[in-house]
Structure formats: structure tokens, C-alpha cells
Amino acid sequence: MIPGARLVVLGKQGAGKGTQCVRLARHYVIPHISTGEMFRAAVKGGTEFGRKAKAYMDTGELVPDDVVIGVVRERLDQDDTKERGFCLDGFPRTVAQAEALEELLSPRGLDLVLDLEVPTDVVLRRLATRRACQDCGENYSIDSPPKSAWICDSCGGEVVQREDDNVGAIRRRLDLYEKETAPLIAWYMRADKLVAVDGIGSPDDVTGRLVRAIDARRARHA
Ligand code: ADP
């Protein structure tokens, strides 16, 4: 049986976290937990919580720590993550969230944190051309659109530009990444949990690098 894993993937907006986390989740047979996707589902569902989250998301602000931590706590409390682990995408994003995660996972903790490195000029280009399926979240770009005019290849949903992929919100999200999330790199490095992986190249190349980094860490601890 494939052993589970407890992974966090860090990286700027547009670094490819979503794409790579889907692949890692499949490879290690673990749930992919994306806080962004969870919030977008709540917005679509029209819940009170969704309405509140939308106001933060559309302007590129962070949803308050206590709210995000509550959502993640509930998700990590479910049997699938307890048994197999998880690939966390978009969480933690602040030191307070990382501290809360440590507490939630104690005593075993995380196996590894992967920092997907992509320069800012590249992510800016990717975000400007990114399009996503409204229903399943599958990512496309204007350079590699779905096969039939903006209809998702995977689920048939409509492929559109995300509301927060506008110039103002992109700038704000990248600023907040530098201010709030980038300090986590040093934080996890000190805990000897961090591996940096080059996020430039084809999705298959990047997945190969991530899997090698995770397996090398496992071999070290076996
Ligand atoms: P991106 O990384 O491109 O900003 P996500 O899909 O991960 O996209 O997140 C979309 C939005 O959801 C964020 O801009 C933020 O408003 C909210 N969000 C997601 N995860 C978190 C988090 N861990 N803490 C605070 N806000 C979050």
C-alpha cells in the first residue's frame, strides 16, 4: 500500500500550487485541501460565510486567521485526512496559521513543506492569462485553452477569468504573499521541514521534482 503523507505546498499566486497539489494528491493517494477552493465553493453556495469570504477574496485580502483556521480544523478532523494525511494548498499563509497547524497536528506534525519557486515576472504573466473552470476549478490559460471554446475538458463547466485575477487584486495578493507568507519559508527551514523546488518547466517536470524531493525525505526518515 502507498503510505500517506502530510504535505504543505507554499508558493506565490500563479506558482502552480493548485495544479501540482492535484497531482501530488493522486500520486500519494491523499486528499487535496485547498482553502481557496473551499472558499470559492462557499461563495458559489451563497452561504452567509460565502458572502463574507467573497468580500475579502475579490479585493485580494486575506480571510481572517480565526475563520480560516476554523475551516481547516474541521477538515483535518475528518477520517480521510487522519488516516492518509493531506496536501495543503493555500494554507498556512501567515505565521499565526502555521502555529495553529502545528497545534492541530501535534504530536506527529508535518512530513514536509515544499516551496514552489517561480520569479514574480513569470507569475504575473501566468496570472494575467489564467482562466479557470467555474465548476471544478481546472486551470487553463489563453495560450492553452480547453478543446472546445471555453467549455471545461474535464467537467463541461464554463471556463472564465477568476474575479480576483484583476490587476489590483493580483498586486495586493502578491504584496500580502511577501509580507505574510514568505516569512514561513524561514520558519519551516528552521524546523528542518522545508525543501525548495524549481517551479519553472512543464507541469510533468515540476511534478517529477516534487515527488523526488518528497521520496528523498521519506528515505531519510525510513
Ligand atoms: P491565490 O493563491 O491565487 O490567491 P487561492 O485560491 O489560494 O488563490 O485563494 C483565494 C483567496 O482565498 C485568497 O486571496 C484569500 O482571500 C482567500 N484565502 C485562501 N486561503 C487563505 C488563507 N490560508 N488565509 C487567508 N485567506 C485565504
Side-chain angles (χ1 to χ4, degrees):
M1 181 164 114
I2 299 163
R6 295 172 151 206
L7 307 172
V8 162
V9 178
L10 295 178
K12 292 185 191 95
Q13 286 70 16
K17 294 189 298 292
T19 304
Q20 294 300 329
C21 285
V22 168
R23 288 157 167 251
L24 292 177
R26 224 176 273 148
H27 186 91
Y28 293 105
V29 197
I30 49 179
H32 169 207
I33 303 180
S34 157
T35 42
E37 288 297 330
M38 289 162 93
F39 294 150
R40 276 187 287 280
V43 170
K44 233 175 115 189
T47 59
E48 172 65 21
F49 168 67
R51 266 194 298 279
K52 282 193 191 139
K54 187 174 184 341
Y56 293 102
M57 294 167 76
D58 283 354
T59 51
E61 296 299 324
L62 292 177
V63 174
D65 282 337
D66 55 337
V67 176
V68 190
I69 291 165
V71 166
V72 171
R73 178 184 294 121
E74 237 171 67
R75 184 64 188 87
L76 292 182
D77 225 21
Q78 288 169 24
D79 289 343
D80 58 344
T81 59
K82 281 195 181 145
E83 283 158 18
R84 299 282 317 155
F86 46 79
C87 182
L88 272 172
D89 163 6
F91 183 93
R93 231 177 252 232
T94 64
V95 170
Q97 291 179 16
E99 283 168 351
L101 182 62
E102 287 297 291
E103 222 178 289
L104 287 174
L105 297 179
S106 165
R108 187 178 141 193
L110 289 167
D111 295 335
L112 194 59
V113 178
L114 298 136
D115 177 29
L116 206 48
E117 290 184 322
V118 179
T120 302
D121 59 326
V122 176
V123 300
L124 281 173
R125 209 172 324 126
R126 286 187 188 173
L127 291 169
T129 57
R130 172 160 86 176
R131 300 292 181 270
C133 174
Q134 264 185 336
D135 291 339
C136 72
E138 178 82 23
N139 279 319
Y140 298 92
S141 86
I142 51 178
D143 306 318
S144 65
K147 289 191 195 80
S148 102
W150 306 108
I151 300 297
C152 179
D153 293 339
S154 305
C155 78
E158 194 187 345
V159 175
V160 297
Q161 184 161 36
R162 263 170 55 172
E163 292 211 28
D164 57 352
D165 278 348
N166 63 72
V167 178
I170 288 173
R171 192 175 309 125
R172 181 68 183 143
R173 279 148 68 213
L174 285 169
D175 280 352
L176 282 172
Y177 182 83
E178 288 308 326
K179 196 162 145 260
E180 302 284 352
T181 311
L184 292 180
I185 295 170
W187 201 85
Y188 282 123
M189 212 181 271
R190 280 196 296 277
D192 192 27
K193 295 272 182 201
L194 192 97
V195 173
V197 171
D198 180 5
I200 296 283
S202 73
D204 284 350
D205 287 346
V206 177
T207 307
R209 287 177 208 139
L210 289 165
V211 167
R212 281 194 293 280
I214 295 164
D215 291 349
R217 176 61 65 121
R218 283 194 163 169
R220 206 174 102 185
H221 289 276

